[in-house]
């Protein structure tokens, strides 16, 4: 992977499932979703506005935009999975995430709003997912780019999505911490093993 590719996909690209998830694998993905609100809250706790406005890569979103994006995306996922379970292979609508990330509330709004939204949303979504039968997890929705996707596969994808964006924030945090450190001479840095 190139450096830019590593920054864009720090946990790797999502690999679509070709078989239904094993119960323990599904449980691990749902546990990731269950822990997501606390993970994002912990990552941004105590950050200044300047730190929240740090991009995770050149021309990438800021930490603030990532925090606002996650509930935007997961609200869509919650609705998609509910539609799949209650309708016959529904064609779901997509949204322009890049445009949503440019709205003023996503670029400049307080992250607490989205952190609280993520907590409430995930309480509902995780409770819904944990109650599904195997046959309900096998139900599908149609996405214009991904084609047919099972609820099971959506669970895996949004678990990946959680880890993917948490890693983006971790990258940006490393950059902000490195920018705050006093600059050591290259000789001193090499003695320190950096």
């Amino acid at each position: 992977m190139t450096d830019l590719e590593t920054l864009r996909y720090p946990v790797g690209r999502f690999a679509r499932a070709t078989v239904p998830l094993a119960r323990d694998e599904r449980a691990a993905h749902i546990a990731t979703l269950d822990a997501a609100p606390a993970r994002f809250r912990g990552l941004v706790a105590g950050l200044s506005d300047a730190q929240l406005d740090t991009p995770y890569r050149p021309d990438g979103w800021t930490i603030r935009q990532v925090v606002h994006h996650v509930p935007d995306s997961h609200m869509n996922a919650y609705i998609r999975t509910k539609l799949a379970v209650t309708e016959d292979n529904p064609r779901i609508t997509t949204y322009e995430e890049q445009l949503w990330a440019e709205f003023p509330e996503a670029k400049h709004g307080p992250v607490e709003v989205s952190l609280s939204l993520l907590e409430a949303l995930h309480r509902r979504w995780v409770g819904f997912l944990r109650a599904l039968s195997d046959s309900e997890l096998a139900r599908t929705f149609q996405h214009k780019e991904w084609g047919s996707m099972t609820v099971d596969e959506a669970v895996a994808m949004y678990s990946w999505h959680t880890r993917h964006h948490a890693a983006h924030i971790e990258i940006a945090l490393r950059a902000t911490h490195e920018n705050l450190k006093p600059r050591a001479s290259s000789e001193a840095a090499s003695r320190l093993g950096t």
Side-chain angles (χ1 to χ4, degrees):
M1 262 200 271
T2 65
D3 288 344
L4 182 58
E5 181 82 357
T6 301
L7 289 173
R8 289 184 71 200
Y9 299 99
V11 298
R13 289 181 180 264
F14 176 67
R16 290 195 64 174
T18 57
V19 296
L21 298 175
R23 286 184 192 273
D24 59 339
E25 187 179 10
R26 181 182 312 116
H29 288 308
I30 294 173
T32 296
L33 295 174
D34 193 23
R39 183 165 188 199
F40 284 102
R41 185 173 289 285
L43 285 169
V44 301
L47 295 184
S48 68
D49 280 336
Q51 289 170 311
L52 287 169
D53 293 332
T54 302
Y56 70 88
R57 66 174 171 84
D59 300 317
W61 287 342
T62 64
I63 293 172
R64 184 185 311 273
Q65 286 172 298
V66 170
V67 171
H68 291 309
H69 162 73
V70 172
D72 285 348
S73 177
H74 291 197
M75 278 189 290
N76 277 281
Y78 173 62
I79 292 167
R80 291 168 181 173
T81 54
K82 279 201 156 185
L83 288 171
V85 172
T86 60
E87 297 180 17
D88 186 26
N89 196 29
R91 181 168 306 281
I92 55 94
T93 59
T94 59
Y95 74 105
E96 297 296 330
E97 65 182 38
Q98 282 300 119
L99 298 177
W100 286 33
E102 294 301 318
F103 282 121
E105 100 283 353
K107 287 187 83 165
H108 309 293
V111 294
E112 179 56 38
V113 173
S114 285
L115 293 170
S116 295
L117 176 57
L118 192 66
E119 287 169 348
L121 173 64
H122 277 235
R123 277 195 303 270
R124 291 283 309 272
W125 191 22
V126 167
F128 167 71
L129 293 172
R130 286 186 171 145
L132 295 178
S133 67
D134 287 345
S135 63
E136 290 168 324
L137 289 158
R139 293 185 59 93
T140 59
F141 60 81
Q142 288 292 319
H143 188 283
K144 75 176 187 178
E145 294 166 7
W146 310 325
S148 183
M149 179 173 271
T150 65
V151 172
D152 226 12
E153 188 175 13
V155 168
M157 185 177 73
Y158 286 98
S159 169
W160 169 87
H161 187 259
T162 296
R163 293 179 290 107
H164 170 73
H165 284 305
H168 285 155
I169 293 172
E170 290 165 348
I171 290 167
L173 289 174
R174 281 194 297 275
T176 64
H177 292 308
E178 287 170 9
N179 290 337
L180 295 175
K181 290 179 187 173
R183 298 280 183 220
S185 70
S186 58
E187 183 179 306
S190 66
R191 282 196 308 264
L192 295 172
T194 58

